[in-house]
Amino acid sequence: MLEWIFETELKEQVSDNLAYISSEQLIEQLCFFFSDNHYFYKKLFALDRQNRFRQYFDSYCETVIDKYLTDHANFEIDDTKREIFKRYHATAISGIFHQILREKTTDRTALKVLAKTVTTCLAGSLFAIKK
């Protein structure tokens, strides 16, 4: 049941918005979504071994990263580099959300900074693989 709730809610936040908003807006929306639903998702991350929430979330993070690459990569990226880029950044994003959700409060200003930091890191990494 928890997996279904997660899949339904996150699909609404990620998959349903892929064609309508930028990857930066998508990352910011994810930050605020987790802030607004802090208690529930804190519990889901805690049940990681039982319902594989972290694996599902990593997959959604990869979708967000893929959107970022589609929005910003103005050059050809071979499949190996693309997969490594997606996995690396998806794991990092998932990990930071997990860490933030373990904290007692989520400050919206801090989450805006997080969203900006994530997109800045993505831009830097994209620039690095272009070389």
Side-chain angles (χ1 to χ4, degrees):
M1 182 64 148
L2 292 175
E3 288 176 11
W4 178 82
I5 292 169
F6 160 71
E7 285 182 29
T8 302
E9 286 187 346
L10 207 56
K11 179 182 179 292
E12 215 174 271
Q13 290 297 309
V14 177
S15 304
D16 292 351
N17 287 320
L18 283 174
Y20 305 107
I21 62 175
S22 72
S23 50
E24 291 84 0
Q25 289 170 311
L26 197 52
I27 292 166
E28 191 170 281
Q29 272 192 355
L30 272 176
C31 287
F32 295 138
F33 173 76
F34 280 115
S35 174
D36 294 343
N37 300 284
H38 178 261
Y39 183 76
F40 178 74
Y41 285 98
K42 179 179 181 174
K43 295 292 185 187
L44 265 182
F45 267 112
L47 297 172
D48 191 39
R49 289 185 184 170
Q50 293 174 3
N51 65 16
R52 299 184 328 261
F53 169 70
R54 182 77 181 258
Q55 290 174 331
Y56 283 114
F57 185 57
D58 285 357
S59 174
Y60 278 97
C61 288
E62 283 191 29
T63 301
V64 172
I65 301 305
D66 200 46
K67 166 77 170 159
Y68 182 87
L69 289 171
T70 300
D71 289 351
H72 297 285
N74 57 359
F75 58 94
E76 191 68 31
I77 303 173
D78 70 56
D79 291 342
T80 301
K81 284 184 180 179
R82 186 178 197 90
E83 285 306 309
I84 290 170
F85 189 97
K86 284 182 354 184
R87 277 195 209 142
Y88 175 82
H89 288 287
T91 302
I93 291 169
S94 179
I96 194 68
F97 276 114
H98 187 192
Q99 182 180 355
I100 286 171
L101 287 170
R102 280 186 283 178
E103 297 171 2
K104 292 182 180 183
T105 61
T106 50
D107 176 9
R108 287 181 84 82
T109 302
L111 290 171
K112 276 192 165 218
V113 171
L114 172 62
K116 183 64 176 168
T117 301
V118 167
T119 56
T120 300
C121 289
L122 288 171
S125 293
L126 186 59
F127 179 75
I129 66 169
K130 185 176 183 178
K131 291 183 176 185

